[in-house]
Amino acid sequence: MAQQDYYQFAYVTTDWRRALEELGAQHDIAAWMEMPEAEFDTGPGTKAVCHFALAFKGDLQFEVIEPVAGDCAVYRAGLPETGYAKRFHHLGRHFAQRADFDRQLEAAKARYARPVAAETMGGEYAYFDARAETGHFLEYFIFPPGSHLEGVPRS
């Protein structure tokens, strides 16, 4: 599968199941790759536990994240303390070439705070806080061919 650079719309929520149902109905998404209580590194010595789900609509990937425990501050950003919410959180950019990823990562590091950066599932990712400029975070990631991304359902 050829990878595109601008790749993903991601949402955070306080109720994962409800958000999956709503986004599925709104965008005619038939199936999600669900990863409940997924634990992953967020930086040196820190981990987050979140419910994650991924699905493609055409060539655009949707991601839904509900923070559960651990180092989840970046995923709680914009969510209320109580009640239901589903909020656009970040634009994800996947890079197929390491040189492109490294170049864009350095440019973003010079411009934005980077609250999360880690290696996971054979790849690497980082979040940049572009909220003051764009209203949302940016996520840059690189995963090799054959990664979990190839198993994400398509609608």
Side-chain angles (χ1 to χ4, degrees), residues 8-150:
Q8 177 191 78
F9 288 164
Y11 295 83
V12 292
T13 185
T14 56
D15 184 333
W16 189 54
R17 288 278 170 220
R18 181 174 171 184
L20 292 179
E21 290 174 17
E22 289 176 358
L23 286 166
Q26 184 179 26
H27 299 291
D28 197 27
I29 295 171
W32 297 88
M33 173 189 277
E34 296 183 11
M35 297 170 279
E37 297 186 17
E39 180 179 290
F40 57 96
D41 293 331
T42 55
T46 59
K47 293 185 181 297
V49 178
C50 298
H51 301 316
F52 283 90
L54 300 170
F56 278 101
K57 181 63 182 179
D59 289 332
L60 178 63
Q61 186 184 87
F62 284 81
E63 180 177 37
V64 181
I65 305 165
E66 181 182 346
V68 176
D71 182 31
C72 291
V74 72
Y75 303 109
R76 293 189 198 289
L79 290 175
E81 290 293 319
T82 62
Y84 174 69
K86 173 184 68 210
R87 303 281 188 263
F88 182 78
H89 185 261
H90 66 267
L91 170 67
R93 294 181 66 184
H94 182 271
F95 297 92
Q97 302 300 318
R98 184 71 202 199
D100 293 336
F101 175 76
D102 290 343
R103 186 180 77 255
Q104 292 294 330
L105 198 68
E106 289 305 313
K109 283 179 2 185
R111 188 170 183 168
Y112 306 112
R114 184 177 58 160
V116 171
E119 294 181 8
T120 188
M121 299 189 315
E124 185 177 340
Y125 75 106
Y127 282 90
F128 295 96
D129 190 348
R131 290 177 295 170
E133 181 181 319
T134 65
H136 58 79
F137 289 90
L138 298 171
E139 181 187 18
Y140 292 178
F141 54 102
I142 185 167
F143 286 97
S147 77
H148 69 289
L149 296 178
E150 291 186 10

